[in-house]
């Protein structure tokens, strides 16, 4: 294969992967913020309606919330794995294009600086779990209060 064509293909792949990384980051933020928005809306509804809600209805809301948290987690997890692949592809392209090689483009340094991967998946996971647990506490607040009153009286 012609070297100029090879160079153009790698450059195109680099740009394509960078755009995909941005798209996945944007999608992650939308999924995460959508989940939190839904949690706040559901919690507001539950705080207003929970005292008169049957235990079976509470279990139903609880299951819906757990399924939503699971779906959010799975989507963010899959994107995390995909982002790792994208980063590896971009690093390979950088290597081919000479971005990491000292003196290739600049006299005494490489185009790319030292990098560390900073994925947000762990933070997203902690917040999704915390929001789901908080929802359960709000949903079952009266039941939990009654239980503590019975235990400590």
């Amino acid at each position: 294969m012609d070297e100029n064509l090879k160079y153009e293909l790698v450059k195109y792949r680099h740009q394509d992967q960078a755009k995909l990384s941005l798209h996945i980051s944007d999608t992650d933020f939308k999924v995460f913020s959508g989940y939190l928005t839904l949690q706040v809306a559901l919690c507001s509804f539950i705080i207003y309606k929970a005292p008169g809600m049957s235990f079976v209805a509470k279990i139903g809301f609880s299951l819906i919330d757990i399924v939503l948290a699971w779906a959010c987690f799975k989507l963010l997890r899959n994107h995390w794995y995909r982002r790792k692949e994208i980063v590896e592809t971009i690093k390979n392209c950088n290597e081919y294009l000479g971005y990491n090689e000292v003196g290739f483009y600049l006299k005494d340094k490489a185009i790319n600086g030292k990098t560390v991967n900073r994925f947000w998946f762990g933070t997203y996971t902690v917040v999704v779990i915390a929001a789901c647990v908080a929802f359960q506490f709000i949903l079952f607040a009266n039941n939990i209060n009654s239980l503590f009153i019975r235990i400590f009286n």
Side-chain angles (χ1 to χ4, degrees):
M1 182 182 292
D2 177 66
E3 280 303 312
N4 287 334
L5 179 60
K6 229 173 164 179
Y7 177 83
E8 289 299 318
L9 289 173
V10 171
K11 190 172 84 170
Y12 173 77
R13 182 70 170 160
H14 186 279
Q15 292 168 349
D16 176 58
Q17 293 297 289
K19 286 180 185 174
L20 182 57
S21 179
L22 288 172
H23 174 71
I24 287 178
S25 293
D26 185 49
T27 302
D28 283 353
F29 182 72
K30 288 177 182 175
V31 166
F32 180 70
S33 60
Y35 173 77
L36 288 181
T37 301
L38 189 57
Q39 285 292 92
V40 169
L42 277 173
C43 285
S44 298
F45 172 77
I46 295 301
I47 287 170
Y48 179 70
K49 291 286 186 179
M53 196 181 295
S54 73
F55 191 72
V56 173
K58 289 179 182 182
I59 295 293
F61 271 109
S62 179
L63 289 175
I64 290 169
D65 188 64
I66 290 168
V67 168
L68 286 173
W70 177 81
C72 181
F73 169 78
K74 286 291 282 186
L75 218 153
L76 293 170
R77 182 177 155 267
N78 288 342
H79 281 185
W80 175 56
Y81 283 124
R82 180 66 182 117
R83 187 175 291 104
K84 287 171 123 180
E85 296 165 0
I86 291 167
V87 167
E88 190 62 34
T89 300
I90 289 173
K91 286 181 178 183
N92 290 340
C93 292
N94 286 344
E95 191 69 36
Y96 177 83
L97 295 169
Y99 292 166
N100 299 331
E101 192 176 325
V102 174
F104 195 83
Y105 291 101
L106 302 171
K107 188 174 184 173
D108 295 332
K109 53 186 161 184
I111 291 285
N112 284 347
K114 302 274 185 216
T115 61
V116 176
N117 294 338
R118 294 174 192 92
F119 300 118
W120 282 83
F121 177 69
T123 305
Y124 284 152
T125 301
V126 168
V127 174
V128 167
I129 290 169
C132 188
V133 169
F135 179 83
Q136 303 305 316
F137 277 117
I138 290 169
L139 184 62
F140 293 102
N142 289 340
N143 303 84
I144 294 168
N145 285 340
S146 298
L147 179 66
F148 277 114
I149 289 170
R150 276 183 278 174
I151 290 173
F152 295 110
N153 279 338

